[in-house]
Amino acid sequence: MKALVFPGQGSQFIGMGKELYDSRKDIKDLMESANEILGFDILSIMFNGTDADLKKTEVTQPSIFIHSVAALKAVNGLGAEMVAGHSLGEFSALVANGVLSFDDGLKLVSERAKAMQDACDANPSSMAAILGLEDAKVEEICAQISGVVVPANYNCPGQLVISGETSAVEEACAKLKEAGAKRALLLPVNGAFHSPLMQPAQERLAAAIENTKFRKATIPVYQNITTTAVTNPDEIKQNLIAQLTGPVKWTQSVQNMIKDGASNFVEVGPGKTLQGLIKKIDGSVDAASAI
C-alpha cells in the first residue's frame, strides 16, 4: 500500500516551490492565490527572500503548506491509500484526503502560525533534540524536572525532541547526558512547540477550526496525537487542536501505518527529512520523494 507523508517546520529553503510554479499554469494559479488569501506576497519570500524572513514561523508554516499542496497537485495524489503529516504537515495531509480545501487549509495554517509565534513571544522557551537514548528514559527524566519540559517529537528510535521552559529544558539536557544520551542539543527556536506552553495558541486555533468546514476523509489520516487511522471529521478537528500542546508521535504513526499495510512511503513537500526518519523506523519499507 502507498502512503503519502507531508513534512513540517524545518524543511523550508530559499527557492522552494519555484520549479513547481514554473511547471504548470494550474499550479501557478494555485500558488498565486496564496498571496491573496494571506494578504502579502509570500511567494517572493519563498522564491527570493532571506533565510531570516523564511524562518519566521508565520512565513515558514504557510510556505511549507503551499509547497506541499503544489507538489501534491503536480503528482495528482499518486493513488495513495493513507496519509500522514509531521506536525504542520498534518494540514497538508488533510488537503490530500479531501478533508480541507487549499484555501481553508492555508487560512488555518496561517492562524496557527501567528498564534504559535505570539505564544512564543509571550513566554520565551526552548526545544532540544535528544539523541541515542530510549524514549522511556527521556520521559522518565523529563517527569523528574520541576519546571515545564515534555517529550514533543518522537521522530524515530533514538531521536526525541523535548520542549518547555528554557531552564527546565537545559536542566533536562544535563540529566539526559548523565543518563547516557549521545547528544542533547538546544534547537534554534524561540518557543516550546507541542508543550503545555502552547495553550494560548491552542485556544485560538480551536476557534478557527470550529469555523472551518471539514469533510469526511476519502482515505485515512494517521494523526500525530492518536497515531491511528482517522476518517471522522469531528475526530480530526479535535486531534488537530490537541496536537498543539501534545507530542508528535511520528515513530508510532509510521509503525501503525506499516502494520496496516503501508510498504511504499512518498514524501510530498520540501526536503527529505521524513524519508530518513521512516528508514530509521523500519528499513524494510520504501521511502522516496514525490518529485
Side-chain angles (χ1 to χ4, degrees):
M1 294 173 70
K2 183 173 289 182
L4 301 186
V5 293
F6 297 84
Q9 200 158 341
S11 60
Q12 71 276 3
F13 61 91
I14 296 299
M16 61 187 289
K18 185 65 166 67
E19 288 187 10
L20 287 164
Y21 179 87
D22 291 336
S23 67
R24 276 178 16 199
K25 185 180 184 303
D26 58 339
I27 293 175
K28 179 179 180 180
D29 291 344
L30 176 83
M31 296 179 75
E32 287 187 342
S33 73
N35 286 342
E36 298 174 25
I37 292 166
L38 296 174
F40 68 97
D41 190 355
I42 193 169
L43 297 185
S44 68
I45 301 174
M46 291 169 62
F47 299 163
N48 303 302
T50 65
D51 283 334
D53 285 338
L54 191 58
K55 283 180 181 175
K56 294 174 182 175
T57 296
E58 62 266 35
V59 174
T60 306
Q61 293 193 18
S63 295
I64 293 168
F65 175 83
I66 293 162
H67 185 291
S68 296
V69 177
L72 177 72
K73 193 173 186 69
V75 297
N76 199 29
L78 294 171
E81 293 159 280
M82 58 182 78
V83 294
H86 190 287
S87 187
L88 157 73
E90 200 158 271
F91 289 84
S92 308
L94 294 176
V95 174
N97 72 350
V99 171
L100 288 172
S101 68
F102 172 75
D103 290 18
D104 286 342
L106 182 56
K107 290 172 186 174
L108 286 179
V109 165
S110 178
E111 179 63 18
R112 178 184 189 266
K114 290 174 185 174
M116 290 172 75
Q117 186 62 57
D118 288 347
C120 293
D121 293 343
N123 191 1
S125 43
S126 304
M127 301 179 79
I130 312 302
L131 307 179
L133 209 58
E134 293 287 328
D135 290 350
K137 191 65 178 176
V138 178
E139 293 165 353
E140 176 190 330
I141 289 174
C142 284
Q144 295 170 1
I145 307 296
S146 58
V148 176
V149 57
V150 295
N153 296 352
Y154 293 79
N155 286 332
C156 67
Q159 186 187 129
L160 201 162
V161 175
I162 61 174
S163 180
E165 296 168 339
T166 300
S167 59
V169 170
E170 289 173 347
E171 183 182 349
C173 284
K175 290 186 180 296
L176 289 162
K177 284 180 184 175
E178 289 173 10
K182 290 179 182 176
R183 301 182 81 178
L185 305 169
L186 285 173
L187 299 177
V189 297
N190 66 340
F193 300 161
H194 303 290
S195 83
L197 299 181
M198 284 290 113
Q199 183 66 41
Q202 186 180 55
E203 292 167 6
R204 279 174 60 180
L205 179 63
I209 283 174
E210 290 306 324
N211 288 318
T212 302
K213 182 176 181 179
F214 278 59
R215 303 167 186 83
K216 185 175 179 180
T218 56
I219 54 175
V221 56
Y222 286 69
Q223 292 189 273
N224 296 170
I225 285 290
T226 63
T227 79
T228 53
V230 185
T231 56
N232 181 282
D234 291 328
E235 288 181 44
I236 289 170
K237 283 184 180 182
Q238 293 310 308
N239 292 337
L240 272 183
I241 294 165
Q243 187 215 80
L244 264 194
T245 55
V248 174
K249 298 178 183 176
W250 187 251
T251 300
Q252 301 90 325
S253 297
V254 171
Q255 288 170 338
N256 282 333
M257 294 169 86
I258 293 168
K259 188 175 73 175
D260 292 347
S263 58
N264 182 9
F265 287 82
V266 180
E267 185 167 5
V268 186
K272 298 182 178 181
T273 300
L274 298 185
Q275 298 163 56
L277 296 179
I278 289 165
K279 282 294 187 181
K280 289 176 182 176
I281 293 167
D282 189 331
S284 71
V285 298
D286 293 327
S289 296
I291 52 174

